[in-house]
Coordinates of all heavy atoms in Angstrom, one line a residue:
M169 N 116.2 50.7 42.7 CA 115.5 51.9 43.1 C 114.7 52.5 41.9 O 113.8 53.3 42.2 CB 116.5 53.0 43.6 CG 117.2 52.7 44.9 SD 116.0 52.3 46.2 CE 114.9 53.8 46.2
N170 N 115.0 52.0 40.7 CA 114.2 52.5 39.6 C 112.7 52.3 39.7 O 111.8 53.1 39.4 CB 114.6 51.8 38.2 CG 116.0 52.3 37.8 OD1 116.6 53.2 38.4 ND2 116.5 51.7 36.7
L171 N 112.4 51.1 40.2 CA 111.0 50.7 40.4 C 110.3 51.6 41.5 O 109.1 52.1 41.3 CB 110.8 49.3 40.8 CG 109.4 48.7 41.0 CD1 108.6 49.0 39.7 CD2 109.4 47.2 41.2
Y172 N 111.0 51.8 42.6 CA 110.4 52.7 43.6 C 110.3 54.2 43.1 O 109.3 54.8 43.4 CB 111.4 52.7 44.8 CG 111.4 51.5 45.6 CD1 112.4 50.5 45.4 CD2 110.4 51.2 46.6 CE1 112.4 49.3 46.1 CE2 110.5 50.1 47.4 CZ 111.5 49.1 47.1 OH 111.5 47.9 47.8
F173 N 111.2 54.6 42.3 CA 111.2 56.0 41.8 C 110.0 56.1 40.8 O 109.2 57.1 40.9 CB 112.5 56.3 41.1 CG 112.6 57.8 40.7 CD1 113.1 58.7 41.6 CD2 112.3 58.2 39.4 CE1 113.2 60.0 41.3 CE2 112.4 59.5 39.1 CZ 112.9 60.5 40.0
A174 N 109.9 55.1 39.9 CA 108.8 55.2 39.0 C 107.4 55.1 39.6 O 106.5 55.8 39.3 CB 108.9 54.0 38.0
K175 N 107.3 54.2 40.6 CA 106.0 54.0 41.3 C 105.5 55.1 42.2 O 104.4 55.5 42.1 CB 106.1 52.7 42.1 CG 104.7 52.3 42.7 CD 104.8 51.0 43.4 CE 103.5 50.5 44.0 NZ 103.6 49.1 44.7
Y176 N 106.5 55.7 42.9 CA 106.1 56.7 43.9 C 106.4 58.1 43.6 O 105.7 59.0 43.9 CB 106.7 56.3 45.3 CG 106.2 55.0 45.8 CD1 107.0 53.9 45.8 CD2 104.8 54.8 46.2 CE1 106.6 52.6 46.3 CE2 104.4 53.6 46.6 CZ 105.3 52.5 46.7 OH 104.8 51.3 47.1
I177 N 107.6 58.4 42.9 CA 107.9 59.7 42.6 C 107.3 60.2 41.3 O 106.7 61.2 41.2 CB 109.5 59.9 42.4 CG1 110.2 59.4 43.7 CG2 109.9 61.3 42.1 CD1 109.9 60.2 44.9
M178 N 107.3 59.3 40.2 CA 106.7 59.6 39.0 C 105.3 59.2 39.0 O 104.5 59.6 38.1 CB 107.5 58.9 37.8 CG 108.9 59.2 37.7 SD 109.8 58.2 36.4 CE 109.1 59.1 35.0
Q179 N 104.9 58.4 39.9 CA 103.5 57.9 40.1 C 103.0 57.2 38.8 O 101.9 57.3 38.4 CB 102.5 59.1 40.4 CG 102.9 59.8 41.7 CD 101.9 60.9 42.1 OE1 101.1 61.2 41.4 NE2 102.1 61.4 43.3
E180 N 103.9 56.5 38.2 CA 103.5 55.7 37.0 C 104.5 54.5 37.0 O 105.6 54.5 36.5 CB 103.7 56.5 35.7 CG 103.1 55.7 34.5 CD 102.9 56.6 33.3 OE1 103.0 57.9 33.4 OE2 102.7 56.1 32.2
E181 N 104.1 53.4 37.6 CA 105.0 52.2 37.8 C 105.5 51.7 36.5 O 106.6 51.1 36.4 CB 104.2 51.1 38.5 CG 105.0 49.9 38.9 CD 104.3 48.9 39.8 OE1 103.3 49.3 40.4 OE2 104.8 47.8 39.9
G182 N 104.7 51.8 35.4 CA 105.0 51.3 34.1 C 106.3 51.9 33.5 O 106.9 51.4 32.6
R183 N 106.7 53.1 34.0 CA 107.9 53.8 33.6 C 109.2 52.9 33.9 O 110.2 53.2 33.3 CB 108.1 55.2 34.2 CG 107.0 56.1 33.8 CD 107.2 56.7 32.5 NE 106.2 57.8 32.2 CZ 106.0 58.2 31.0 NH1 106.6 57.7 29.9 NH2 105.1 59.2 30.8
N184 N 109.0 52.0 34.9 CA 110.2 51.3 35.3 C 110.8 50.5 34.2 O 112.0 50.3 34.1 CB 109.7 50.3 36.4 CG 110.8 49.3 36.7 OD1 111.9 49.7 37.2 ND2 110.6 48.0 36.5
R185 N 110.0 50.0 33.2 CA 110.5 49.2 32.1 C 111.5 50.0 31.3 O 112.6 49.6 31.0 CB 109.4 48.6 31.2 CG 109.9 48.0 30.0 CD 108.9 47.6 29.0 NE 108.2 46.3 29.5 CZ 107.4 45.6 28.8 NH1 107.0 46.0 27.6 NH2 106.9 44.5 29.2
A186 N 111.0 51.2 30.9 CA 111.9 52.1 30.1 C 113.1 52.5 30.9 O 114.2 52.6 30.3 CB 111.1 53.3 29.7
M187 N 113.0 52.7 32.2 CA 114.1 53.1 33.0 C 115.2 52.0 33.0 O 116.4 52.2 32.9 CB 113.7 53.5 34.4 CG 112.9 54.8 34.4 SD 112.2 55.1 36.1 CE 113.7 55.6 36.9
M188 N 114.7 50.8 33.2 CA 115.5 49.6 33.2 C 116.2 49.3 31.9 O 117.4 49.0 31.8 CB 114.8 48.3 33.6 CG 114.5 48.2 35.1 SD 116.0 48.1 36.1 CE 115.4 47.7 37.7
M189 N 115.4 49.6 30.8 CA 116.0 49.4 29.4 C 117.2 50.4 29.2 O 118.2 50.1 28.7 CB 114.9 49.7 28.4 CG 113.9 48.5 28.3 SD 112.6 48.8 27.1 CE 113.5 48.8 25.6
C190 N 117.0 51.7 29.7 CA 118.0 52.7 29.5 C 119.2 52.3 30.4 O 120.4 52.6 30.0 CB 117.5 54.1 29.9 SG 116.3 54.7 28.8
S191 N 119.0 51.8 31.6 CA 120.1 51.4 32.5 C 120.9 50.3 32.0 O 122.1 50.2 32.3 CB 119.5 51.1 33.9 OG 118.9 52.2 34.4
T192 N 120.2 49.3 31.4 CA 120.9 48.0 31.1 C 121.2 47.8 29.6 O 122.1 47.0 29.3 CB 120.1 46.8 31.6 OG1 118.8 46.9 31.0 CG2 119.9 46.9 33.1
A193 N 120.5 48.4 28.7 CA 120.6 48.1 27.2 C 122.1 48.4 26.8 O 122.6 47.7 26.0 CB 119.6 49.0 26.4
A194 N 122.7 49.5 27.3 CA 124.1 49.8 26.9 C 125.0 48.7 27.3 O 126.0 48.5 26.5 CB 124.5 51.1 27.6
S195 N 124.7 48.0 28.3 CA 125.6 46.9 28.7 C 125.6 45.7 27.8 O 126.5 44.9 27.9 CB 125.3 46.5 30.2 OG 125.5 47.5 31.1
I196 N 124.6 45.7 26.9 CA 124.6 44.6 25.9 C 125.5 45.0 24.8 O 126.3 44.1 24.3 CB 123.2 44.4 25.4 CG1 122.3 44.0 26.6 CG2 123.2 43.2 24.4 CD1 120.8 43.9 26.3
L197 N 125.4 46.2 24.3 CA 126.1 46.6 23.0 C 127.5 47.2 23.3 O 128.4 46.9 22.5 CB 125.3 47.6 22.3 CG 123.9 47.1 21.7 CD1 123.1 48.3 21.1 CD2 124.1 46.0 20.8
V198 N 127.7 48.0 24.4 CA 128.9 48.7 24.6 C 130.1 47.7 24.7 O 131.1 48.0 24.1 CB 128.8 49.6 25.9 CG1 130.2 50.0 26.3 CG2 127.9 50.8 25.6
P199 N 130.0 46.6 25.4 CA 131.2 45.7 25.5 C 131.6 45.2 24.1 O 132.8 45.1 23.9 CB 130.7 44.5 26.4 CG 129.6 45.1 27.2 CD 128.9 46.2 26.3
L200 N 130.7 45.0 23.2 CA 131.1 44.5 21.9 C 131.8 45.7 21.1 O 132.7 45.4 20.4 CB 129.9 44.0 21.2 CG 129.1 42.8 21.8 CD1 127.9 42.5 21.0 CD2 130.0 41.6 21.9
L201 N 131.3 46.9 21.3 CA 131.8 48.0 20.5 C 133.2 48.4 21.0 O 133.9 49.1 20.2 CB 130.8 49.2 20.6 CG 129.4 48.9 20.0 CD1 128.5 50.1 20.2 CD2 129.5 48.6 18.5
I202 N 133.5 48.2 22.2 CA 134.8 48.7 22.8 C 135.9 47.7 22.7 O 137.0 47.9 23.1 CB 134.6 49.1 24.2 CG1 134.3 47.9 25.1 CG2 133.6 50.2 24.4 CD1 134.3 48.2 26.6
I203 N 135.7 46.5 22.0 CA 136.8 45.6 21.8 C 138.0 46.2 21.3 O 139.2 46.0 21.8 CB 136.3 44.4 21.0 CG1 135.3 43.5 21.7 CG2 137.5 43.5 20.6 CD1 134.7 42.4 20.9
P204 N 138.0 47.0 20.1 CA 139.2 47.5 19.6 C 139.8 48.6 20.5 O 141.1 48.8 20.6 CB 138.8 48.2 18.3 CG 137.3 48.3 18.3 CD 136.8 47.2 19.2
I205 N 139.0 49.2 21.3 CA 139.5 50.3 22.2 C 140.2 49.6 23.4 O 141.3 50.0 23.8 CB 138.4 51.1 22.8 CG1 137.6 51.8 21.6 CG2 138.9 52.2 23.8 CD1 136.4 52.6 22.0
V206 N 139.7 48.5 23.9 CA 140.3 47.7 24.9 C 141.7 47.2 24.5 O 142.7 47.3 25.2 CB 139.5 46.6 25.4 CG1 140.2 45.6 26.3 CG2 138.2 47.1 26.1
Q207 N 141.7 46.7 23.2 CA 143.0 46.2 22.7 C 144.0 47.3 22.5 O 145.2 47.0 22.5 CB 142.7 45.4 21.4 CG 141.9 44.2 21.6 CD 141.5 43.4 20.3 OE1 141.4 44.1 19.3 NE2 141.4 42.1 20.4
K208 N 143.6 48.5 22.3 CA 144.5 49.6 22.0 C 145.0 50.3 23.3 O 146.2 50.5 23.5 CB 143.9 50.6 21.1 CG 144.8 51.7 20.7 CD 144.2 52.6 19.6 CE 145.2 53.7 19.2 NZ 144.7 54.6 18.1
I209 N 144.1 50.6 24.2 CA 144.5 51.4 25.4 C 144.5 50.6 26.7 O 144.9 51.0 27.8 CB 143.6 52.6 25.6 CG1 142.2 52.3 26.0 CG2 143.7 53.5 24.3 CD1 141.3 53.4 26.3

């Protein structure tokens, strides 16, 4: 839905890239950072 929201609500389809980066970038780093937390709790 990010692409539809950027294209029609924000009226700037190019915003989709930044929206996708914000949605997915955390999923690259967060799993690595939470290893000690997973092992503890």
Side-chain angles (χ1 to χ4, degrees):
M169 290 307 304
N170 288 357
L171 183 54
Y172 289 95
F173 190 85
K175 184 175 181 179
Y176 297 109
I177 305 297
M178 303 179 71
Q179 297 184 354
E180 191 170 346
E181 187 175 344
R183 297 282 187 197
N184 172 64
R185 171 185 284 187
M187 293 173 72
M188 282 296 189
M189 289 178 66
C190 291
S191 297
T192 59
S195 294
I196 303 170
L197 297 176
V198 167
L200 300 176
L201 297 176
I202 64 172
I203 290 176
I205 302 175
V206 170
Q207 292 176 330
K208 185 172 183 179
I209 68 173

